[in-house]
Each structure stands twice: as C-alpha cells, then as structure tokens.
Amino acid sequence: MGMAAASCLAMADGARGAERRTYANPIDIDYRYNFEQESRGISYRTGADPVVVRHGDAYYLFQTLADGYWRSTDLVDWQFIAPSRWPFDSMVAPAVISDGDRLILMRSLFSPGAVLVSRDPAKGRFDFLTRMLPELPNAVPPGRDVGLPGWRNGDPQPEKVPPGPWDPAFFKDDDGRWYLYWGSSDTFPLYGIELDVSKGMRYLGTPRALLALDPETHGWERFGQDHRGAFFPDGKPVGNYMEGAWMTKVGGRYYLQYGAPGTEHNAYATGTYVGDSPLGPFEYAPYNPVGYKPGGFVQGAGHGSTFQDLHGNWWNTGTPWLGRNWTFERRIAMFPAAFSDDGQMSVSTRFGDFPHYVPDGPNADPEALFTGWMLLSYRKRAMASSTRDGFSAGDVTDENPRTLWVAGKNEAGQTLDVDLGAVKTLRAVQVNFGDYESGRFGDADDIYTEFTLEHSLDGRHWQPLAATPATRRDRPNAYFPLPAPVRTRYVRYVHGHVGAAHLAISDLRIFGHADGRVPVAPRQVTARRDADPRNAFVRWRPVKGAVGYNVRWGIAPDRLNSTYQVFADQPTQLELRALSRGVGYHVAVEAFDENGVSAPSPTVAVP
C-alpha cells in the first residue's frame, strides 16, 4: 500500500509540471517549533511576520523565530535554508530587501546591532554589512520610553522616540535613496528615516513620525475578536496595536502599509496610507482595510509584505492567528493583490483558504486565481482508529484550527476517515496538524511528517490517493493537489510519523465538486448602519443547501474588495465592525456550497 501511494504521488509530481500549480493557505512550509515558552512547557509550531522578496531567479521567505529562511522558484515548493550567520536568539520580524546584487537582512532591534548581507542566499552565505548600527537618533534607551508622550496624526514631530528600530522594513526608491520604516506599539506611531548604505549603514537626519492609529474613526483598528475589545486580568483594556510597516511604490505613489489592531485575534488586518514622497505626508486610504480575513479556517491577514512575482503580479503576505497553545501561535498566508488604474490597493481574501492557482503569466484579476474547488468536508462524519479523551475525530471537519483530534497512541498505522456522504469529485486534500503537549522546542532530525492518504467508494476497499515524498520534512499544513480528479466518497489518513509526542490533527480539509447545480443568490439582503457608524448590520435570507456565505463590501458597487466568510450553520446576519466614519459603503452576499458559488445578491448601499 505504501509503495502504491508513493507511486501515486510521483505521478502527481510529474503531472503538476504540465498543469497549473496550486497552493492553499496556510502555506505548506516546515514551520519551526518555538523556544520562547520552553520554561513553561508550552510547545507549538509557529510562523509570523512574513517578508517575501524576489532575488535573482528565486523568492526568499523570512519570518519570525525560524533560525533560517525558505527559498522557492515557483511560490509553491519552499526549501528551508540554514544560514552561515544568525543571531543566537534568532530574529523577530526582520527587514529584508534585494537591491539586485545583494540581499540585506536586519532583525528587530531595541539597541544597535548587526545588519547581514548575502550575494549567495541560495547557499545561505551571509556576511556582515555592519556589525553594529549607530544609535538611532533621538531614541531613548531601552526601558526609558514609559514616560514618553504618545503621538497622534497631526501632532508636531516628537523630540524623542522609543528605542528601536523594532519591526523594521527597508525601502529603496527609484532614485537610489534608501529608507527604513519601523514601529510596534499601542502608544507610538510608525516612524521613517533615510539611510546611507554607501559604507555599511547609517542614519541620515532624525526619525519622522508618519502615521498613528485612529480607532475612534476607523472601526477595523479596534482591538479584540471582531474588534470587540479585550481586557487584562486587572480589568484594564488592551490597547490597539500598530506594527509591521511595509513600503510599496506603484505609479509614483507611496503605499505605507501597517498591521493592526493586534495579532492575537481573527481581525488582524493590513491597512495603508498613501503619499507622494517616501517620508510623507501620508493620507489614510478610505478603502481600508486592504487585507482582511476574519472568517473561515484561516483567520487574520495582518503584518506581512507586498511583492511582485516574475510576471509582474502583486501578492500580499500576512499572519493568520492560531492561538490554541499560546497567544502568539500563528501561521503564514499569501493572497493575490492588485493596484487599480486609479491607485486603489486591494488584497483578495475571498476563499482565501481554499486552493488557488499560482499564475504562469500576467494576471489582471486576483479573484481569477481561485480554482473553484469547493470545500467538501465541512461537518462531515469522521471516524478514528483511536481517540484520546476529549479530542473527538469530529473536530477535524469543523474548520476550526483550535480544536483537535488526538489519537490514543502516536504510532504508525493509526487512521482517520472522513465520509463525504456521497460520491464526489476530489481535487485536493489539506492535512492540518496541531500541537498537543508536543514537547518540542527546536529543530531535530526526527521532526518530520510521514503519512499516506487513501480513498474508497464503499468504506471497505481502499486505494492510494497521495503520500508524503521520500525526502523528509515537517508538514504542519500539508497540501496535496491531485494529478487528476478522483471520484470517491471516503478519504482516509494513514499515519506514519510526526515529531511530536502526540498525533494531533486539527482539520482534514477536502476540496473538489459535488457535481450539482450551484446555489441561488441570497435574497432579501439588507444593510443598516449602526448609531456608531463604524458598525453595520447585514442580513440575508438563508439559501437551501448552502455551506456558507461571503459577505462582500467596499466603497463602490464595483469595488467589493473585502470579504467576511460565514458558515451556513451560523446566523444569516453579520455585525460588520470594520467600517470608517465618513465613508459610504456597498455590500452584497454570495452563497457557496459543494457545487460552486452563486451569483452575488443585488448590491445594497450602506450610507
């Protein structure tokens, strides 16, 4: 059985070269075990704050606390690279840039530190651009920022700034001048400063405060689950965080992006201010947030980077929230993006955790990259060979990464079956592993994932479907597009190996078609602005047989760029708390099921 499954996968690898490549979020890389909570015995894999840059003929992915980085030539297959130089305490939210000749890398800092440079990142060879940056001008020492006044948009430039640069981002303008942006705080703004990189790296001038959160005006900048706030144990409200600066220049305009209001909840998003020069002034974009994904399996889209692929297509990366084992347990997502002719930036998160194509040429419409492969496994019956008390097999079809099936024993041969309820056409499977008392806090040779997938028409006679390849690596979010459609009813996971103490799977997600008619468009859609105009209430009539709905909204009827996904076993209403005062909106709702997606409902104005 194992040999046959391996052969099936080999055929898949060969077929993919001739077909359009696909991927699914969270992206399928070997996320590393975090060491920060080792003293507390909290073990989890994580990824956050992704920066993707194109250098030479490849893409390079850097993230928080990975002790290395990944390289890809196709945005699908990523190879981990262990560098020759790296800080002992790793890196948080690094700044990375390619100037065509060199890849320059700097970690988040509260005091002067090193900047690394490589002319051969494919082999992990890094040297020092400078061993020690100069002091950040006008910065107070670490720990001395408690008494500094906050800063709001329109305030005079501050005389003193917090220690840094934390959450940095590099930018090189078309005229050859270099800049650095940074900031991560519930009090202080994002800053920017010009750089001199002619000999090492030094600062030019003093830091400029560029933008600050305004949650009283911008509803999506409010902290908490669905922007409902959160509180510390002493009852004090948690502040709204801004971080993750990133600069993109398009059409002569400068887009200073930021993550808000906090990575710990589903509403973590990306916004942008726009200006005519790299250090401002900047104006808030009324179509914010540009990257927003509070519903579905993957939740959260803030703090990432924007880049172009080799065909000129735009992409935006982000940091979805997981948060089962620890507040900052996270993953990485990649979404198609675009800049319209009039300059509006958009990030397509509609079906953002379903399989998407990676374009093999210029692509004008980000939504055209959605494969149309629908979720077939939602709330389907699941059975396991063994189960640890309190961790039901049924949790693997609930589209919730914070619930787990945990096997009674972590041993080869354990099985997990999903019954699709009828024969359907399969196109892809994603196996999402969880961590339950995993007991790992760093890399090791035995941390890898090995399993096979089988399928059956009757639940008794099984055939190979896919398998992990012979080259071993960890696969926390293993994604398998099938080389050809498969008509079947049952899908089985057959365990081989995981590096954790327990075999734990959060979701076994199956994509394809039920080969029926697509649902009808939702009817009786209404939208009402709240007395607090940062909120609106959207309602619609249920559609028979729907798996879920996409509530789509934006600042014009033809710009419904933002999406909130709601499953059909939830109420057919949504309190949308991401709006800005003084901005008018339009909203429509579409239904989806296992056959496809409905036409959108008539668009409704939300004045």
Side-chain angles (χ1 to χ4, degrees), residues 481-547:
L482 304 179
V486 174
R487 294 278 295 165
T488 197
R489 172 170 172 170
Y490 299 88
V491 173
R492 168 173 286 180
Y493 167 92
V494 182
H495 185 54
H497 176 86
V498 293
H502 299 279
L503 166 59
I505 292 178
S506 70
D507 287 82
L508 201 163
R509 309 176 73 217
I510 303 165
F511 298 95
H513 297 280
D515 308 310
R517 292 183 179 180
V518 301
V520 299
R523 301 175 62 186
Q524 300 180 11
V525 175
T526 63
R528 176 178 60 85
R529 204 79 175 247
D530 192 11
D532 181 343
R534 297 174 297 176
N535 311 326
F537 300 93
V538 183
R539 292 180 172 86
W540 60 97
R541 187 174 181 178
V543 173
K544 185 178 180 180
V547 171

Side-chain angles (χ1 to χ4, degrees), residues 14 82 141 154 159 191 260 363 370 419 482 527 573:
E159 296 181 0
Y191 301 93
N363 176 72
F370 172 43
D419 178 2
L482 304 179
Q573 61 184 26

Side-chain angles (χ1 to χ4, degrees), residues 148-400:
L148 286 182
W151 190 90
R152 296 175 63 88
N153 295 324
D155 285 352
Q157 286 296 314
E159 296 181 0
K160 294 292 183 181
V161 300
W166 195 263
D167 275 14
F170 290 123
F171 173 67
K172 182 183 179 183
D173 206 350
D174 300 334
D175 60 6
R177 296 168 71 177
W178 287 68
Y179 299 87
L180 182 72
Y181 305 89
W182 72 95
S184 177
S185 175
D186 62 350
T187 304
F188 303 115
L190 294 189
Y191 301 93
I193 195 170
E194 189 171 354
L195 297 174
D196 179 0
V197 297
S198 59
K199 293 182 180 180
M201 183 174 287
R202 64 188 181 92
Y203 302 109
L204 297 178
T206 58
R208 287 188 57 82
L210 302 177
L211 62 93
L213 293 184
D214 183 9
E216 292 302 314
T217 303
H218 311 141
W220 71 274
E221 293 179 350
R222 293 174 290 180
F223 193 77
Q225 192 79 358
D226 286 320
H227 313 292
R228 297 184 184 279
F231 298 87
F232 291 111
D234 63 1
K236 180 181 178 182
V238 178
N240 309 295
Y241 272 78
M242 179 173 61
E243 54 199 359
W246 185 266
M247 174 61 77
T248 305
K249 185 179 183 182
V250 180
R253 300 277 280 164
Y254 298 84
Y255 295 76
L256 180 53
Q257 298 160 49
Y258 61 103
T263 189
E264 304 96 316
H265 297 286
N266 68 330
Y268 196 35
T270 292
T272 189
Y273 278 62
V274 187
D276 293 322
S277 66
L279 291 178
F282 294 98
E283 182 178 351
Y284 179 80
Y287 48 80
N288 276 316
V290 292
Y292 189 65
K293 195 181 184 307
F297 177 71
V298 166
Q299 296 183 352
H303 197 152
S305 60
T306 300
F307 69 97
Q308 281 183 289
D309 64 24
L310 60 87
H311 305 294
N313 304 303
W314 289 102
W315 296 87
N316 182 264
T317 62
T319 305
W321 162 67
L322 200 62
R324 186 193 183 278
N325 293 285
W326 183 246
T327 305
F328 301 107
E329 181 183 14
R330 295 163 291 178
R331 292 289 189 264
I332 291 173
M334 184 173 73
F335 305 108
F339 293 85
S340 64
D341 292 341
D342 62 4
Q344 180 170 335
M345 180 183 178
S346 61
V347 177
S348 177
T349 63
R350 173 180 175 261
F351 295 112
D353 46 30
F354 286 29
H356 273 61
Y357 293 114
V358 173
D360 52 10
N363 176 72
D365 180 11
E367 289 191 5
L369 297 179
F370 172 43
T371 60
W373 301 347
M374 307 310 297
L375 181 67
L376 304 179
S377 49
Y378 186 62
R379 299 294 186 185
K380 292 304 194 311
R381 188 168 66 99
M383 301 151 285
S385 56
S386 69
T387 301
R388 190 179 181 93
D389 289 345
F391 297 93
S392 167
D395 288 338
V396 304
T397 62
D398 64 359
E399 289 290 284
N400 182 354

Side-chain angles (χ1 to χ4, degrees), residues 83-131:
S84 60
R85 296 186 188 277
W86 209 255
F88 284 119
D89 54 353
S90 198
M91 290 197 181
V92 172
V96 191
I97 192 171
S98 170
D99 66 1
D101 177 45
R102 306 169 299 173
L103 198 70
I104 297 175
L105 169 66
M106 182 179 78
R107 64 175 176 159
S108 292
L109 297 168
F110 281 131
S111 58
V115 179
L116 301 178
V117 63
S118 176
R119 286 184 167 84
D120 193 5
K123 295 182 179 177
R125 296 173 180 168
F126 276 86
D127 294 308
F128 292 109
L129 179 68
T130 178
R131 284 180 178 265

